[in-house]
């Protein structure tokens, strides 16, 4: 799930690329410094691409993408607004506020990520202040490829790289940083379990199989 295109590969068990295809994505900037995308377009692209590529015996489906893009979902798992991309710059004031209040150096030491426009905390704080109705309805925060995995298998998770890039995750403790989350107004319950790249997440559901052409029960990792 990329910033300018959705790409799909068929990779053999030997690691060779047997086929590849892509479809473009529209990057939107309704206001200066904003960078958003239509989340539904990603899924439409995925469904189209999986049907475009040659029919093969698929052993598993893996999803990767840009990080740390921010998607907010309601209680039913539906997106509440377009994505906020990792290069979005709307939360400049919140970046400065959190860096000063938390001590930027200390956050960097614990999380491995500086407090910047890519951090999830300032984005969440911006949403709470500027789109309060959406923030109150938020029940899950996800990344781009985590959301596609969720649509494929129904399991909510965050891949560890998203967690590390978010600036919310203490990599030494293997847990969300309570003080950073609190300062950003993020209840840790909004953040799904962190999983390693390559972990088994679930199986392609019958609903996803209908629209993607993948077989029900195909492992999603």
């Amino acid at each position: 799930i990329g910033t300018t295109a959705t790409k799909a590969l068929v990779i053999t068990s030997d690691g060779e690329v047997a086929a590849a295809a892509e479809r473009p994505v529209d990057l939107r900037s309704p206001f200066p410094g904003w960078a958003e995308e239509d989340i539904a377009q990603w899924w439409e692209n995925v469904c189209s691409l999986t049907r475009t590529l040659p029919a093969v015996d698929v052993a598993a489906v893996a999803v990767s993408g840009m990080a740390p893009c921010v998607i907010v979902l309601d209680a039913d798992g539906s997106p509440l607004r377009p994505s906020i991309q990792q290069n979005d710059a709307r939360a400049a004031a919140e970046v400065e506020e959190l860096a000063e209040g938390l001590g930027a150096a200390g956050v960097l030491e614990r999380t491995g990520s500086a407090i910047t426009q890519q951090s999830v905390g300032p984005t969440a704080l911006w949403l709470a202040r500027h789109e309060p109705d959406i923030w109150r309805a938020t029940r899950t925060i996800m990344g781009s490829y985590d959301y596609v995995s969720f649509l494929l298998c129904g399991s909510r998770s965050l891949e560890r790289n998203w967690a590390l890039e978010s600036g919310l995750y203490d990599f030494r403790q293997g847990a969300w940083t309570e003080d950073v989350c609190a300062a950003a107004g993020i209840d840790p319950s909004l953040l799904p379990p962190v999983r390693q790249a390559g972990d088994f997440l679930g199986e392609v559901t019958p609903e996803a199989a209908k629209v993607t052409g993948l077989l029900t029960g195909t492992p999603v990792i």
Side-chain angles (χ1 to χ4, degrees):
I1 310 301
T3 303
T4 59
T6 309
K7 302 176 181 180
L9 302 175
V10 175
I11 302 175
T12 69
S13 57
D14 297 324
E16 299 295 324
V17 177
E22 66 178 73
R23 291 180 63 87
V25 174
D26 300 319
L27 183 63
R28 304 174 179 179
S29 185
F31 299 99
W34 288 34
E36 300 184 343
E37 290 189 359
D38 179 3
I39 299 166
Q41 188 181 35
W42 299 342
W43 182 239
E44 291 168 3
N45 284 352
V46 168
C47 294
S48 173
L49 290 167
T50 52
R51 292 181 177 279
T52 298
L53 293 171
V56 294
D57 182 13
V58 178
V61 181
V63 190
S64 66
M66 58 191 134
C69 171
V70 174
I71 299 168
V72 290
L73 310 180
D74 65 14
D76 296 325
S78 299
L80 288 162
R81 68 175 324 283
S83 68
I84 298 179
Q85 302 298 101
Q86 68 279 2
N87 58 334
D88 186 281
R90 74 186 67 191
E94 287 75 17
V95 168
E96 184 176 344
E97 177 182 335
L98 290 178
E100 182 177 345
L102 290 166
V107 173
L108 174 60
E109 182 181 357
R110 286 181 291 148
T111 67
S113 293
I115 300 176
T116 69
Q117 67 182 33
Q118 292 195 68
S119 305
V120 173
T123 298
L125 197 55
W126 186 95
L127 283 170
R129 290 172 173 172
H130 298 273
E131 298 181 1
D133 291 343
I134 285 175
W135 185 244
R136 279 192 293 269
T138 297
R139 294 296 176 270
T140 305
I141 300 172
M142 272 189 175
S144 59
Y145 49 104
D146 301 305
Y147 178 68
V148 173
S149 297
F150 166 58
L151 292 183
L152 286 170
C153 69
S155 174
R156 303 187 193 202
S157 64
L158 284 168
E159 193 265 327
R160 190 169 184 266
N161 188 56
W162 187 98
L164 292 170
E165 295 275 1
S166 74
L168 303 173
Y169 190 72
D170 188 324
F171 64 88
R172 295 173 300 182
Q173 301 294 327
W176 303 111
T177 51
E178 293 184 6
D179 60 331
V180 179
C181 286
I186 298 174
D187 186 328
S189 67
L190 300 178
L191 300 164
V194 176
R195 309 295 293 274
Q196 295 280 0
D199 281 356
F200 172 78
L201 301 179
E203 298 178 341
V204 173
T205 65
E207 295 76 17
K210 284 182 181 178
V211 293
T212 62
L214 297 166
L215 293 179
T216 300
T218 301
V220 178
I221 64 171

